[in-house]
Amino acid sequence: MTTVPPSPSAAGSASAPKGGAGLLGQLGPGLITGAADDDPSGIATYSQAGAQFGFGLLWTMLLTYPLMVGIQMASASIGRVSGRGLAGNMRRHCPPWLLHGIVLLLLLANTINIAADIAAMGEAARLVLGGRAPLYALGFGLLSLLLQLLLPYQRYARLLKWLTLALLAYMATVLVVHVPWGAALRAALLPQLVWERGYLTTVVALFGTTISPYLFFWQAAQEVEELRADPAAAPLRRTPQHSAAELRRIRVDTLVGMGFSNLVALSIMLTTAVTLHAQGVRKITSSAQAAAALRPLAGELAFALFSLGIIGTGLLAIPVLAGSAAYAVAGAFNWRSSLALRPRAARKFYAIIAAATLAGVGIGFLPVDPIQALYWSAVINGVIAVPIMAVTMLLASRPAVMGPLPLAPWLRALGWLCTATMALAVLAMLLTSG
């Protein structure tokens, strides 16, 4: 990612951080990143886990929370400290074959994920409003693209922040169904592990859905965007006197954002466990199918909340998927890249956003099985997550990247634990896929 360095005077006299005015003032990139993790494709995975295994996989959300916090905090810290996104730092410190391979696979996986999300949004709109799902999908894709092209960054970031409220629909859904909280709590805290292929495959799917590579690139890039939005700010490696307050803000933002993400996932798994699983509905292949199956079991309100949540979180996730791909490609080739720039000033960057979004829309009109597409997207994400996480942790330990502000030992340990856990998950996926 090309950065515009501040003048020497600005770098030496950067203003104090502005993110300390209460909890809401500290929420931004981490909150949006966590909410975008619960995209329609993720909703389908969580729904399938609840429908197939009831409360049996609630424990995975308790385990993935600290792991998500570790790797996302490392990514965000790299962006804020160095003033460059992940791909920009990789371009400087990694061999080209590794960087270009990772970026190409990320672009492919994100485009397929966009296609699956747009299709799910179209189907959810059809369930609620009637009409044709592909036309709704086309409208949602074009709306998302226009918002990214036309809205200035600060207004766009505020819009994404408000869109996170769409996920409250899933917490509300839990309130309109009956949950035996004692049994759910026991299952979450005292899991009964099942060494069976379907169980292990679903665990791997949950890990792959929750810890996704595009989130690493997005949160790091958004920290750089926030840095650029303040003319008096500079990368923390140049202004270490402000590091304590800024790194504390990143920690709060990430803890809340990833906590929100996992609470929503828990809500979806609980809802489908006490409705679909309890009634013998064990196979869910899309988020829209989960919403339709809820209607006769949990009533119109639960159905409407679940369906509208799919549309709302899709509008949040599509720009994150397209944007993270564009940041990665632009960083790899040292193009100008910022949502604060007008499209004319960063044509290649916005061209990647447009191409990924429109390709995702186009896939929806092809005779492609969306479930197979989603499966291959998850496989690609799982494969590239491990090297990306390993490179991220190595970058976060290098003085050439972090200057006098390397990661704290506890955060470094948590990040490497997340990397090792994901590597084991990928190995399990390969061993069980045969």
Side-chain angles (χ1 to χ4, degrees), residues 95-431:
W97 64 266
L98 177 61
L99 170 62
H100 295 157
I102 285 174
V103 168
L104 178 61
L105 289 174
L106 180 75
L107 178 61
L108 178 61
N110 283 17
T111 301
I112 295 172
N113 216 327
I114 288 171
D117 285 352
I118 290 176
M121 294 164 67
E123 191 62 28
R126 183 191 66 80
L127 289 174
V128 175
L129 303 173
R132 297 183 60 191
L135 294 181
Y136 288 124
L138 176 62
F140 288 133
L142 293 177
L143 173 63
S144 175
L145 179 58
L146 288 174
L147 289 175
Q148 293 174 85
L149 293 176
L150 300 179
L151 279 187
Y153 171 71
Q154 289 299 327
R155 289 176 61 191
Y156 181 68
R158 284 196 296 271
L159 174 63
L160 292 180
K161 197 169 177 180
W162 280 107
L163 278 174
T164 63
L165 295 177
L167 291 172
L168 293 177
Y170 294 105
M171 297 184 184
T173 306
V174 173
L175 301 179
V176 299
V177 297
H178 173 69
V179 178
W181 291 105
L185 189 61
R186 283 193 300 273
L189 299 179
L190 301 170
Q192 301 293 317
L193 301 181
V194 180
W195 300 105
E196 181 265 328
R197 177 181 172 184
Y199 184 91
L200 292 175
T201 302
T202 307
V203 170
V204 172
L206 288 170
F207 270 82
T209 297
T210 307
I211 304 172
S212 299
Y214 72 89
L215 302 175
F216 317 154
F217 285 89
W218 176 262
Q219 190 167 353
Q222 291 311 290
E223 286 296 337
V224 178
E225 292 280 19
E226 293 289 323
L227 191 63
R228 292 173 178 171
D230 183 356
L236 290 180
R237 57 177 296 155
R238 299 182 190 173
T239 56
Q241 68 271 22
H242 297 150
S243 62
E246 280 296 336
L247 294 177
R248 183 168 55 249
R249 177 194 58 77
I250 288 173
R251 183 167 62 250
V252 171
D253 189 19
T254 307
L255 285 167
V256 172
M258 302 310 123
F260 184 46
S261 173
N262 280 33
L263 279 174
V264 170
L266 275 170
S267 298
I268 295 168
M269 292 169 71
L270 281 168
T271 299
T272 52
V274 300
T275 54
L276 306 185
H277 179 81
Q279 295 295 322
V281 180
R282 303 297 165 85
K283 188 171 179 60
I284 294 295
T285 57
S286 71
S287 52
Q289 184 188 347
L294 277 176
R295 182 179 240 162
L297 301 176
E300 290 294 330
L301 181 57
F303 160 74
L305 289 171
F306 207 93
S307 300
L308 294 174
I310 293 170
I311 297 171
T313 190
L315 288 172
L316 172 64
I318 291 170
V320 173
L321 285 159
S324 61
Y327 282 120
V329 174
F333 293 100
N334 200 26
W335 298 341
R336 296 191 75 185
S337 57
S338 173
L339 290 170
L341 296 172
R342 292 187 178 277
R344 287 184 180 178
R347 288 191 174 111
K348 295 177 181 178
F349 171 72
Y350 280 99
I352 297 296
I353 290 177
T357 305
L358 294 176
V361 172
I363 290 172
F365 287 89
L366 297 176
V368 175
D369 183 348
I371 304 307
Q372 282 296 312
L374 195 56
Y375 169 78
W376 285 110
S377 173
V379 169
I380 294 171
N381 273 324
V383 170
I384 66 175
V386 177
I388 291 175
M389 292 162 75
V391 170
T392 297
M393 295 311 301
L394 290 172
L395 289 174
S397 303
R398 295 191 66 160
V401 176
M402 303 296 284
L405 300 169
L407 292 184
W410 69 269
L411 183 54
R412 191 160 55 245
L414 196 56
W416 279 114
L417 177 60
C418 185
T419 305
T421 302
M422 198 66 190
L424 289 175
V426 172
L427 179 60
M429 179 181 66
L430 295 175
L431 291 175

